[in-house]
Amino acid sequence: MSVTSGLYRITTHLSPNPAIGVDPRTRSAVKQVIVVPPEFPPPGSTWEVRQEDGQFYLLAVDGANARPEEDKVNAYYGQPGEMWKIVHHPLRRGYVVLSPDESLAWHLPNSEYFTQVELKPLGILPGEGYYFNLERLVE
């Protein structure tokens, strides 16, 4: 399954499959990309996915562009975003989000609310914390 440009909800494969996003109530130019509680307003977990070149995408949530910051993923207002590679794994029925050089992948150590998305090497047998669902939203 390929990803096309549009609006998406990104959820983790970790039970109970919570959404990934930012806290839209925080007034900061930099926000952590986190597991969001269900009571957050929809803009906090609505992702704009823009295909740039083949499997490379710009990802923005609540108008902020996703970029790495050391070993975490943050969203930045008014700054360029990182190009991410989104790869579908049919056997796991999910997607992996990789850095452009494919050396690091988005990873969630657990599904507790406010847990920040980390960047880690994918490894040979990645666990469920590396897999995400991309649910296309009606625009």
Side-chain angles (χ1 to χ4, degrees):
M1 295 176 54
S2 63
V3 176
T4 58
S5 295
L7 299 178
Y8 288 83
R9 185 168 179 265
I10 300 176
T11 59
T12 177
H13 268 214
L14 297 171
S15 183
N17 303 104
I20 308 302
V22 295
D23 186 345
R25 306 169 301 180
T26 304
R27 302 232 182 247
S28 172
V30 179
K31 295 186 178 192
Q32 296 179 344
V33 175
I34 58 170
V35 175
V36 296
E39 65 268 12
F40 274 18
S45 60
T46 300
W47 288 84
E48 180 184 358
V49 176
R50 294 181 302 244
Q51 186 172 15
E52 293 294 319
D53 180 24
Q55 289 184 314
F56 291 98
Y57 301 85
L58 289 171
L59 304 175
V61 60
D62 196 32
N65 295 314
R67 265 191 13 211
E69 176 71 29
E70 297 179 13
D71 61 348
K72 306 282 187 187
V73 179
N74 291 321
Y76 294 81
Y77 289 99
Q79 294 187 23
E82 176 77 22
M83 297 293 288
W84 302 97
K85 187 171 185 179
I86 299 175
V87 179
H88 184 251
H89 287 268
L91 294 177
R92 299 299 286 260
R93 296 189 314 271
Y95 294 87
V96 175
V97 181
L98 298 165
S99 60
D101 64 2
E102 301 183 29
S103 64
L104 298 173
W106 284 23
H107 176 261
L108 274 172
N110 61 63
S111 62
E112 295 174 19
Y113 298 136
F114 302 101
T115 300
Q116 188 172 4
V117 175
E118 301 175 350
L119 290 168
K120 293 194 173 227
L122 193 56
I124 295 171
L125 296 171
E128 290 296 313
Y130 287 95
Y131 292 96
F132 297 89
N133 304 307
L134 274 74
E135 303 167 12
R136 177 94 184 205
L137 302 175
V138 176
E139 298 182 44

